[in-house]
Amino acid sequence: MNILVTGGCGFIGSNLVRYLRRVRPEWKLVNLDTLTYAGNLENLIDLESDPGHVFVRGDIGDREFVEKLLREHAIDSVMHLAAESHVDRSILGPEVFVQTNVLGTQRLLEASRQQGVKRFLMVSTDEVYGSLGPTGAFTETSPLQPSSPYSASKTSSDLLALAWHHTFGLDVVVTRCSNNYGRYQFPEKLIPLMVVNALHDKPLPVYGDGANVRDWLHVEDHCQALLLALEKGRAGEVYNIGGGAERKNIEIVKAILSLLGKPESLIKFVKDRPGHDRRYAIDPSKIKAELGWTPAHTFEQGLDETVRWYVDNREWWQRVMSGAYRDYFDSQYSTRLQVMG
Ligand code: NAD
Ligand code: DAU
């Protein structure tokens, strides 16, 4: 089997490439990534001389290039992860989100159709469902009510993928997962940002009252679910993936400080994210019943391992943060401090 993984140098993509090399060593993986600030070849340095992993730098939105790639490598299936993924950035600059997530996905879908790809796995998000009240959980039939430019762009790509199935007959499976955590996550997202700040004894910016809830999923459990969806999912179907670990942001921040032996006085409540979704929770019954998926990690064990990984891999995050992202990070960080409540 020849698989195209898009966004394979990002957080989930690099974990997925490593996972697939381990559990499907006979597959050839072609990793198409344009290497934005969030994509780092260093995430896959251990696969540098692995003949089963071919890295290709390129844009999913370059249709001619993608068609050639699909043809030359005789790609059977596409696992589509490439995206702009950070909600805060989508509020500051939405255009690239439409460019990559909407237009890029449409072009990739069309190239896949033209080249006779046998299966297209669309990695979507639970953010397509919008925000929940204090009870209940998202099912695959919950209404789509995205709030941010990021989630609106992901909803568009999710629906485009389903349209390419219904209209053109492309074999598409869509997955919608909750917040991932684990190694190689860029330190702009909640968990790695808080770890890095705490290690520097810098304030930890918690948006609003810190009571927003996310449903945390270990990235390796997610990778296992993606493989099941690719191999066993039914065409045209959507599968929710969630770790069953609902936590308030403030609980996570306190747990990180406790693991690092740092004081809670580092916590700073800052101005809320505009349009901030209050609560996400996933009902994963369908993927469990139909595809036999079971997450292997408990949140407490996974968080402990993740925090340790960031402590032990200081060089990795120092290097990835020293590039183009540094100026953005610094400016955002000082903005947050100015608006502290
Ligand atoms: P990430 O930002 O860490 O990685 C995205 C990758 O896509 C990067 O390597 C980047 O260089 C690449 N990329 C961006 N634009 C590209 C383009 N035009 N052409 C080729 N490559 C491009 O993201 P992530 O957190 O690993 O998320 C991966 C996917 O999973 C995304 O589609 C995201 O929407 C989805 N998702 C993520 C989470 C999460 O918690 N991280 C949860 C639900 C869904
Ligand atoms: O739910 C799935 C989504 O999870 C994915 O689709 C996105 O790609 C991914 O980035 C993630 O989105 P979130 O907005 O939930 O993740 P983030 O880590 O940015 O924020 C998690 C929560 O923490 C959210 O309620 C906002 C809050 N937060 C975040 C940051 C960066 C803070 O309080 N302070 C911060 O500095």
Side-chain angles (χ1 to χ4, degrees):
M1 278 269 279
N2 298 331
I3 309 286
L4 180 72
V5 177
T6 72
C9 296
F11 162 49
I12 301 173
S14 60
N15 278 284
L16 178 67
V17 166
R18 192 173 291 103
Y19 174 77
L20 292 177
R21 288 302 297 141
R22 197 173 73 237
V23 301
R24 293 290 180 274
E26 68 282 13
W27 287 6
K28 179 169 95 176
L29 305 180
V30 179
N31 173 1
L32 172 64
D33 197 303
T34 193
L35 299 183
T36 66
Y37 76 95
N40 285 287
L41 272 172
E42 292 195 37
N43 297 359
L44 290 169
I45 201 97
D46 48 320
L47 299 187
E48 214 174 12
S49 52
D50 179 346
H53 169 240
V54 181
F55 170 70
V56 180
R57 188 169 190 184
D59 189 331
I60 54 163
D62 184 344
R63 205 181 117 190
E64 245 174 66
F65 174 78
V66 174
E67 281 207 35
K68 193 160 165 268
L69 192 70
L70 294 171
R71 223 173 20 248
E72 281 180 358
H73 291 278
I75 294 295
D76 298 294
S77 298
V78 174
M79 301 179 88
H80 177 35
L81 290 92
E84 288 294 335
S85 68
H86 190 36
V87 173
D88 291 334
R89 282 174 172 263
S90 81
I91 296 166
L92 289 166
E95 195 156 317
V96 68
F97 284 73
V98 176
Q99 191 68 36
T100 296
N101 300 357
V102 185
L103 263 181
T105 299
Q106 183 270 320
R107 290 180 182 157
L108 184 67
L109 283 163
E110 187 53 18
S112 301
R113 173 169 91 101
Q114 293 299 338
Q115 293 306 312
V117 162
K118 296 188 194 86
R119 169 145 284 190
F120 188 104
L121 181 75
M122 171 71 212
V123 178
S124 185
T125 170
D126 62 356
E127 294 203 14
V128 300
Y129 299 119
S131 191
L132 282 169
T135 57
F138 299 129
T139 70
E140 288 78 1
T141 53
S142 295
L144 303 183
Q145 293 175 327
S147 313
S148 70
Y150 162 72
S151 50
S153 71
K154 287 295 292 186
T155 309
S156 308
S157 56
D158 175 316
L159 293 177
L160 283 169
L162 290 170
W164 254 247
H165 171 70
H166 293 298
T167 308
F168 302 117
L170 184 66
D171 182 314
V172 167
V173 173
V174 174
T175 57
R176 297 177 183 152
C177 68
S178 56
N179 284 61
N180 283 223
Y181 70 100
R183 47 187 71 184
Y184 298 106
Q185 186 168 34
F186 196 85
E188 64 183 349
K189 308 284 166 59
L190 181 74
I191 290 177
L193 176 79
M194 297 300 162
V195 175
V196 167
N197 278 18
L199 289 173
H200 285 124
D201 294 311
K202 283 186 172 179
L204 273 53
V206 174
Y207 298 162
D209 63 1
N212 299 65
V213 172
R214 297 292 182 266
D215 181 351
W216 294 90
L217 170 67
H218 194 284
V219 67
E220 285 164 19
D221 289 330
H222 185 202
C223 292
Q224 192 212 354
L226 292 180
L227 178 59
L228 283 169
L230 181 79
E231 291 187 325
K232 297 184 181 169
R234 285 183 292 132
E237 290 294 317
V238 175
Y239 296 91
N240 281 354
I241 310 167
E246 281 187 64
R247 297 288 183 281
K248 288 182 181 157
N249 294 337
I250 191 68
E251 292 170 346
I252 292 185
V253 173
K254 286 183 178 173
I256 291 170
L257 287 170
S258 160
L259 287 167
L260 293 173
K262 299 283 183 179
E264 290 190 5
S265 56
L266 285 176
I267 296 172
K268 298 289 176 209
F269 290 95
V270 300
K271 190 167 178 267
D272 210 353
R273 172 188 277 174
H276 196 176
D277 286 338
R278 192 63 174 168
R279 175 171 166 261
Y280 302 148
I282 281 270
D283 176 351
S285 313
K286 181 174 172 181
I287 192 166
K288 286 186 168 179
E290 264 192 34
L291 309 184
W293 176 71
T294 338
H297 295 80
T298 65
F299 182 68
E300 278 62 34
Q301 170 217 345
L303 183 67
D304 185 85
E305 282 169 15
T306 302
V307 171
R308 271 175 218 276
W309 187 85
Y310 279 87
V311 171
D312 294 342
N313 288 273
R314 195 179 268 265
E315 281 178 10
W316 174 82
W317 52 260
Q318 280 174 339
R319 271 200 299 271
V320 301
M321 288 173 75
S322 67
Y325 180 70
R326 191 184 45 206
D327 293 344
Y328 164 82
F329 180 84
D330 288 346
S331 71
Q332 282 315 293
Y333 191 71
S334 44
T335 309
R336 282 178 200 159
L337 292 184
Q338 279 160 23
V339 293
M340 255 175 223

